[in-house]
Amino acid sequence: MTNTNWKDSLQSEEAFNDFIINYFKDHKQLNGNYETPSYYEYYTVTLNSKKGLVITLISSVNPAVNTDAPTIPFKDVETISVEEFRQLILHKKFADMHTSLADVFQTVAGVPGSTN
């Protein structure tokens, strides 16, 4: 699938829903991450037929260099309907036609440094 297929499907609720269903039939889940020397964030997106899109986010602050301080990752699970996700995308107005669906999930999730 090309990067523009998902954008073309945004024109209707039904087309976008079909695109998302087909995407997750082929990929099962979408993984992404964001890391800096002091912070990391990993996310996984899956499709649940009853709940919609399930976004699992694990984040933590990396310990300072040369310290033995443990870090405890924070896990958050959010659900959003496919239509709610489509509306978020429409309101974000992604200008770059080369933006991938993974980039969109990253931006909608509010990951720092992501494409706006």
Coordinates of all heavy atoms in Angstrom, one line a residue, residues 6 12 21 25 44-45 68 70 73 100 104 108-109:
W6 N -4.0 5.7 2.3 CA -4.8 6.0 3.5 C -5.3 7.4 3.4 O -6.4 7.7 3.9 CB -3.9 5.8 4.7 CG -2.8 6.7 4.9 CD1 -1.5 6.5 4.5 CD2 -2.8 8.0 5.6 NE1 -0.8 7.6 4.9 CE2 -1.6 8.5 5.5 CE3 -3.9 8.7 6.2 CZ2 -1.2 9.8 6.1 CZ3 -3.6 10.0 6.7 CH2 -2.3 10.5 6.7
S12 N -14.2 9.2 3.1 CA -15.5 8.7 3.7 C -15.2 7.8 4.9 O -14.1 7.2 5.0 CB -16.3 8.0 2.6 OG -15.8 6.7 2.5
I21 N -9.3 -1.8 8.5 CA -9.5 -3.2 8.6 C -8.5 -4.0 7.8 O -7.8 -5.0 8.2 CB -10.9 -3.6 8.3 CG1 -11.8 -3.1 9.4 CG2 -11.1 -5.1 8.1 CD1 -13.3 -3.2 9.1
K25 N -5.4 -6.5 8.8 CA -5.4 -7.9 8.4 C -4.0 -8.3 7.9 O -3.5 -9.4 8.1 CB -6.4 -8.1 7.2 CG -7.8 -8.3 7.7 CD -8.7 -8.5 6.5 CE -10.1 -8.6 6.8 NZ -11.0 -8.7 5.7
T44 N 2.3 0.5 20.4 CA 1.8 -0.6 19.6 C 0.3 -0.3 19.4 O -0.4 0.1 20.3 CB 2.0 -1.9 20.3 OG1 3.3 -2.2 20.6 CG2 1.5 -3.1 19.4
V45 N -0.1 -0.4 18.1 CA -1.5 -0.1 17.8 C -2.0 -1.4 17.2 O -1.4 -2.0 16.3 CB -1.7 1.0 16.8 CG1 -3.1 1.2 16.5 CG2 -1.0 2.3 17.2
D68 N 22.9 4.2 39.3 CA 22.3 2.9 39.4 C 20.8 3.0 39.6 O 20.1 2.0 40.0 CB 22.9 2.1 40.5 CG 24.4 1.7 40.2 OD1 24.7 1.5 39.0 OD2 25.2 1.6 41.1
P70 N 17.1 2.8 39.3 CA 16.2 2.1 38.4 C 15.1 3.0 37.8 O 14.7 4.0 38.4 CB 15.6 1.0 39.3 CG 15.6 1.7 40.6 CD 16.8 2.5 40.7
P73 N 9.1 1.9 33.9 CA 8.3 2.3 32.7 C 6.8 2.5 33.1 O 6.3 1.8 33.9 CB 8.4 1.2 31.7 CG 9.6 0.3 32.2 CD 9.6 0.6 33.7
S100 N 3.6 8.5 6.2 CA 3.1 7.1 6.3 C 2.1 7.0 7.4 O 1.9 7.9 8.3 CB 4.3 6.1 6.7 OG 4.7 6.3 8.0
V104 N 1.5 9.0 11.1 CA 0.2 9.6 11.5 C -0.1 9.1 12.9 O -0.5 9.9 13.8 CB -0.9 9.3 10.5 CG1 -2.3 9.7 11.1 CG2 -0.7 9.9 9.2
V108 N -0.6 11.7 15.9 CA -1.9 11.8 16.6 C -1.7 11.4 18.1 O -2.3 12.0 19.0 CB -2.9 10.8 16.0 CG1 -4.2 10.7 16.8 CG2 -3.3 11.4 14.6
A109 N -0.7 10.5 18.4 CA -0.4 10.1 19.8 C 0.3 11.2 20.5 O 0.5 11.2 21.7 CB 0.4 8.8 19.8

